[in-house]
Amino acid sequence: MAAGHAPDLGRNAANHVPLSPVGFLRRAAETWPGKVAVRHGETAFTYAEFEARCRRLASALARRGIRRGDTVAILAPNVPAMLEAHYAVPGLGAVLNALNFRLDARTVAFCLEHGGAKALIADREFSAVVEEALSLCASPPLVIDIDDPLGPGGSLRGAIGYEALLAEGDPGFALPGARDEWDSLGLLYTSGTTGNPKGVVYHHRGAYLNALGNALAFGLSSRSVYLWTLPMFHCNGWTYTWAVTAVGGTHVCLRRVDPALIFPAIARHGVTHLCGAPIVLNLLVHAPDAVKARFDHVVEVATGGAAPPSAVIEAMERMGFRVTHLYGLTESYGPATLCAWQDDWDGLALADRARLMARQGVRYPTMEDLQVADPLTGEPVPRDGATLGEVMLRGNTIMKGYLANPKATDAAFRGGWYRTGDLAVWHPDGYIEVKDRSKDIIISGGENISSLEVEECLYRHPKVMEAAVVARPDAKWGESPCAFVTPKPGAGELTAEEVIAFCRENLAHFKVPRTIVFGELPKTSTGKIQKFVLRERARGL
C-alpha cells in the first residue's frame, strides 16, 4: 500500500504539536540565555530573565483564578509588561486583549464587558480612564497596576501592583499552552468609525505563522535590534512581539513615539529595525534638524496601516533608512503583503524607486492566496494596472472571525475569501496597488477619483507636510475632491490657489481638488487619518 494511503499513520505526540508563538520564548531562552532580550530605559532583561518573568506572570494569574479560555485585558504603552503579557497569557491558554490606550472610558468599558475580561493589567498613566471605565462595568475585572518608573505618574487603582504580582509567581511554572492551534490566542478591537468596535479573534496558528512571515519578509536575525515605535496593542504589534523573539533579537521598548527619543535610541542601541504607520515616518522626516542624527548603518523600516506617499519614502531613504512597504489589516494579523524588492530596481532613480515601493506588492510568504477581484462576482480583474477591484485574502493568517458577531463574520468571509473593503489595481508584474477604501473613492461626474492618487501629488508639494482628500458633495458633479492640508512648518505661506495650481500641473484636471482646507489632521491612535471626520467637515463647507 502506498505510504500516502496507510490507514495507521496519524498524529501523535512525536509528530504533531500545536503551532503557537509562545514556544519561541523557550527556544530563545535556551539558545541565548545571557543575551539582552528586552531594554527599557536603563533596565535590561536577558532572555533567561525574560522567560522567568513571563512564567511568573502566568503562574500568578493562574493562582488568581485565570483559566484556559479566560480573557485578560491590558492597557499599556510599549513597556516590558506588555511584551510579557504576550507570552504569559496565551501561554496559559487564556486570551490576550491588548487595548488601545487612547480609547475613551466608554469604549474601554465596552471592550472589557464584550470580551469578558477577568483581569485588567493597566499602566498608571491611564488610571483616570480605567477608573471611569470600571464604573461603567457591571462586573469589573481584577485590576493590576503597572507602575513604570519612566511613566508620567497617575493613581494606583488596582488590587495589586504588577511587580508584586510577579513576585507571587513561580519562575519554573510550566506553561500549559494551546491544546489546539485553532484555540483563541488574542482579541483585538477594531477602531470603528461608527457604533461599537468589532472584536477580532486570533488563533495560535495564525500568530505563529505571521510572526515567521515577518522574520522572513523583514530580514530579522539574532543580530536584530528592534525599536518599538509601533504600538503593541495594534494587531499584537503586527505580531513582531513574537517575531523578534523567534530569531533571538533584542526588543527596545519605547513609551512614546517622539523623534527626540527615537533618534537617540537608534544611535545608542544600534537599532536595526523599526515599524510604524506613515505618520511615524513623516514625524521623523519633519523632525527638527537638532533632533535628527545620521547613523553608521542602514535602519530597516517597515511601514503600513495606510499607503505611504512616495515623497515620504524618498525622504526616509535620504536619511539613511530603508523602507519596506507592508499592507494588511487587524483581521489579517497585520502584514499580509509586502512590496518585495526586485534587483532591477537598484538602477532606478530614487524618485522612481519610491513610486514602485509605495505599492502594496505581493502576498506574504505565509499568506496562502491573494486576488484583486470584482466585489460582486468575485472574478479576478485583469492585471492591467488600471481596473479597480477589491483586495481579497485567504489563508492561515486570517482571523477566526468577529467575537459574538456572526453577521459581520459571514459578510467578511463571503465567497470563501476575506473581503478587505480596499480597492486596488493589479499590475502586470503581479504587484497590487491600493487606490482607496471602497468608502473613500470619489465619484465625480461619473469618473472614479482615487483619493490616494491626489494625496500622493499633494505630498510632493515642497510646502506640504500632510494631506488627506475626501469627497465633498457637489451640486453639479455629485462629488468633488476636497483636500485637507497641513503646511510644513517654516516653509512660508501656502495658499489654496498655490495648491490647486500645483495639482493642475500634475493631475488630470477632473482630479484636482476644488476645495482646500488648512489645519491639523485628525488621527487615530495608530496614526491613520480619520477620513470619516474629514468627510463630515467637508459636508459642512
Side-chain angles (χ1 to χ4, degrees):
M1 180 180 288
H5 298 283
D8 57 341
L9 296 181
R11 300 179 185 183
N12 59 62
N15 67 17
H16 179 79
V17 177
L19 299 178
S20 172
V22 176
F24 296 146
L25 179 57
R26 182 166 69 92
R27 177 182 178 271
E30 290 171 350
T31 308
W32 300 282
K35 181 180 179 179
V36 172
V38 183
R39 293 191 184 278
H40 183 50
E42 299 303 316
T43 302
F45 299 121
T46 65
Y47 264 108
E49 292 168 332
F50 180 32
E51 183 193 33
R53 286 174 62 84
C54 293
R55 291 185 185 277
R56 282 184 181 275
L57 176 57
S59 169
L61 288 172
R63 289 177 182 179
R64 293 267 175 164
I66 301 301
R67 299 288 178 260
R68 182 177 299 279
D70 288 345
T71 298
V72 176
I74 182 165
L75 188 72
N78 292 347
V79 294
M82 177 63 120
L83 196 57
E84 289 157 5
H86 277 76
Y87 294 89
V89 175
L92 275 176
V95 180
L96 179 65
N97 177 206
L99 292 166
N100 180 339
F101 56 72
R102 295 193 182 92
L103 294 175
D104 61 273
R106 186 198 65 78
T107 308
V108 170
F110 168 81
C111 295
L112 293 174
E113 296 243 288
H114 186 262
K118 297 289 181 65
L120 169 63
I121 304 170
D123 190 282
R124 66 185 300 180
E125 180 179 355
F126 313 115
S127 57
V129 171
V130 168
E131 186 173 19
E132 186 181 348
L134 293 176
S135 73
L136 300 172
C137 291
S139 302
L142 166 73
V143 178
I144 300 149
D145 286 317
I146 301 171
D147 188 7
D148 179 15
L150 298 185
S155 303
L156 295 172
R157 303 292 183 184
I160 189 172
Y162 183 80
E163 293 299 329
L165 181 75
L166 259 60
E168 295 179 356
D170 175 8
F173 178 74
L175 299 174
R179 288 176 178 163
D180 187 291
E181 57 194 29
W182 185 253
D183 287 352
S184 298
L185 169 148
L187 172 63
L188 296 140
Y189 284 92
T190 59
S191 51
T193 56
T194 57
N196 289 319
K198 296 192 289 287
V200 173
V201 182
Y202 287 175
H203 49 70
H204 286 255
R205 178 182 178 84
Y208 177 98
L209 290 170
N210 213 62
L212 293 184
N214 279 329
L216 287 169
F218 205 21
L220 296 177
S221 75
S222 60
R223 293 184 175 88
S224 298
V225 179
Y226 182 91
L227 181 62
W228 274 104
T229 47
L230 174 77
M232 291 188 205
F233 67 70
H234 191 207
C235 313
N236 294 123
W238 293 356
T239 72
Y240 280 97
T241 43
W242 301 298
V244 175
T245 301
V247 298
T250 297
H251 300 264
V252 179
C253 293
L254 193 68
R255 282 189 70 98
R256 264 186 318 121
V257 176
D258 182 345
L261 299 174
I262 293 171
F263 282 102
I266 293 172
R268 180 183 179 189
H269 301 302
V271 168
T272 59
H273 295 76
L274 59 88
C275 295
I279 181 62
V280 175
L281 276 57
N282 215 25
L283 280 174
L284 298 178
V285 167
H286 295 290
D289 290 339
V291 169
K292 289 180 180 177
R294 297 293 297 189
F295 318 114
D296 58 4
H297 65 286
V298 174
V299 179
E300 302 284 351
V301 180
T303 190
S310 61
V312 173
I313 295 177
E314 196 175 327
M316 286 291 288
E317 297 257 323
R318 287 201 187 96
M319 290 165 55
F321 296 89
R322 183 159 52 211
V323 179
T324 298
H325 184 193
L326 308 176
Y327 161 80
L329 308 94
T330 302
E331 290 85 346
S332 64
Y333 296 71
T337 78
L338 77 155
C339 192
W341 188 262
Q342 299 290 336
D343 290 342
D344 57 6
W345 296 357
D346 289 336
L348 298 176
L350 178 55
D352 293 330
R353 289 205 313 269
R355 285 191 179 90
L356 287 171
M357 290 160 63
R359 299 184 301 172
Q360 284 67 23
V362 295
R363 61 188 168 92
Y364 240 44
T366 44
M367 174 60 67
E368 185 64 26
D369 213 352
L370 168 153
Q371 69 172 5
V372 180
D374 184 299
L376 296 178
T377 66
E379 290 298 313
V381 301
R383 299 191 185 194
D384 56 10
T387 307
L388 275 179
E390 184 179 3
V391 180
M392 301 181 188
L393 304 171
R394 176 188 284 162
N396 295 296
T397 55
I398 298 296
M399 65 169 179
K400 293 176 74 168
Y402 297 113
L403 180 66
N405 196 338
K407 183 178 179 181
T409 300
D410 290 346
F413 293 151
R414 193 173 74 257
W417 291 86
Y418 168 60
R419 306 294 188 103
T420 67
D422 287 320
L423 298 178
V425 296
W426 218 346
H427 287 278
D429 61 2
Y431 283 53
I432 68 166
E433 183 179 359
V434 173
K435 290 296 186 179
D436 241 324
R437 292 289 296 171
S438 56
K439 63 189 176 187
D440 290 339
I441 206 80
I442 301 164
I443 304 173
S444 184
E447 296 278 5
N448 286 347
I449 300 173
S450 162
S451 66
L452 296 182
E453 181 183 355
V454 183
E455 289 162 8
E456 168 76 16
C457 173
L458 290 166
Y459 269 95
R460 292 200 160 270
H461 192 290
K463 293 182 183 179
V464 170
M465 186 170 83
E466 292 181 328
V469 176
V470 298
R472 180 189 176 196
D474 187 290
K476 181 177 181 180
W477 303 106
E479 293 178 340
S480 64
C482 175
F484 291 83
V485 173
T486 304
K488 191 178 295 184
E493 184 185 359
L494 181 63
T495 66
E497 291 75 19
E498 185 180 347
V499 172
I500 290 171
F502 181 83
C503 289
R504 289 181 72 85
E505 290 174 10
N506 294 281
L507 292 169
H509 286 191
F510 74 90
K511 298 179 182 180
V512 173
R514 295 170 180 269
T515 312
I516 310 293
V517 181
F518 294 106
E520 192 172 341
L521 304 183
K523 301 183 184 72
T524 68
S525 57
T526 55
K528 293 182 183 179
I529 293 167
Q530 294 176 309
K531 286 196 170 181
F532 71 97
V533 174
L534 297 180
R535 279 193 289 271
E536 286 299 315
R537 289 183 191 171
R539 288 191 188 101
L541 294 175

